[in-house]
Amino acid sequence: MCWVCGWKDVRVAYRPSPSAAGSSLPPLSRPQLAEARRVRAVELFEDGVSNAEIARAVGVCGESVRRWRRAWEQGGASALRRRAATGRPPKLDDTQVERVRAALEQGAQAHGFEADLWTLERVGTVVTRATGVVLSRASVWRLLTGRLGWSLQRPERRAVERDESEIARWIAHEWPRIKKGP
């Protein structure tokens, strides 16, 4: 349902993704699909198709088509193209991110840390060594989860001195005695 005008009859043509059809191209993202709809609408504007028909053809509400038509009439097809993301550019470019990835894959001990465990502080230190760029903890987190695709993994908390055979013996012999009571 359209949030602008409440139009409920939204028909979207679903097609198999290019990768499903045997192509090596990745499927389109939501912004790319939205832009493809607007480009198709421009083609239909140029052919003189009515707003209602365009809305049905591309699967949006009439208000969206009217808005697109106004933008098209004022600025042409380029007015409906996707714009670059706004905001601050990332501190690390793609080659620097790949250098960081290669450094992290060597493991924490290869960089002089005691345990082979990555923390945000340790990753930040490696990023600074590899690229010369200092990142905050939040930026290190975004780098790991967003650009590198890593996820949080918490290690199991177990004592190094843990003796599994002694634990099994205690459960088998001592626990039943304690459980029964005096």
Side-chain angles (χ1 to χ4, degrees):
M1 176 162 65
C2 176
W3 64 272
V4 175
C5 63
W7 188 53
K8 294 180 183 175
D9 188 22
V10 178
R11 294 185 196 112
V12 179
Y14 291 99
R15 294 175 195 87
S17 66
S19 58
S23 171
S24 62
L25 297 174
L28 295 177
S29 65
R30 285 184 74 171
Q32 290 170 328
L33 286 171
E35 183 179 22
R37 279 188 177 126
R38 293 190 302 270
V39 167
R40 178 67 181 133
V42 166
E43 294 169 355
L44 296 172
F45 292 154
E46 292 169 348
D47 291 342
V49 178
S50 72
N51 286 355
E53 291 177 46
I54 294 172
R56 279 191 294 279
V58 297
V60 296
C61 70
E63 178 59 30
S64 293
V65 176
R66 284 189 290 279
R67 191 170 16 94
W68 294 347
R69 186 178 292 271
R70 279 192 305 271
W72 173 70
E73 288 169 350
Q74 292 173 357
S78 62
L80 294 175
R81 289 282 182 191
R82 194 166 50 133
R83 291 171 186 79
T86 59
R88 184 182 183 132
K91 287 187 175 183
L92 300 177
D93 61 25
D94 292 339
T95 57
Q96 289 173 316
V97 170
E98 288 308 313
R99 260 190 278 154
V100 170
R101 180 190 309 273
L104 294 177
E105 287 174 351
Q106 293 172 356
Q109 288 179 329
H111 293 280
F113 299 109
E114 276 185 38
D116 209 15
L117 177 73
W118 286 115
T119 63
L120 292 177
E121 290 79 11
R122 289 180 178 184
V123 172
T125 301
V126 171
V127 168
T128 304
R129 288 179 193 164
T131 65
V133 176
V134 178
L135 297 178
S136 67
R137 286 174 47 101
S139 295
V140 170
W141 175 255
R142 282 191 300 272
L143 170 69
L144 287 173
T145 58
R147 295 184 74 184
L148 294 176
W150 286 29
S151 62
L152 176 64
Q153 304 290 315
R154 294 190 188 269
E156 279 189 29
R157 300 282 184 196
R158 285 202 173 168
V160 176
E161 305 85 12
R162 185 177 171 108
D163 183 0
E164 295 296 332
S165 62
E166 180 60 26
I167 293 171
R169 186 203 62 75
W170 187 88
I171 290 172
H173 297 97
E174 299 296 324
W175 176 244
R177 183 182 59 79
I178 296 169
K179 185 177 174 186
K180 288 181 184 174

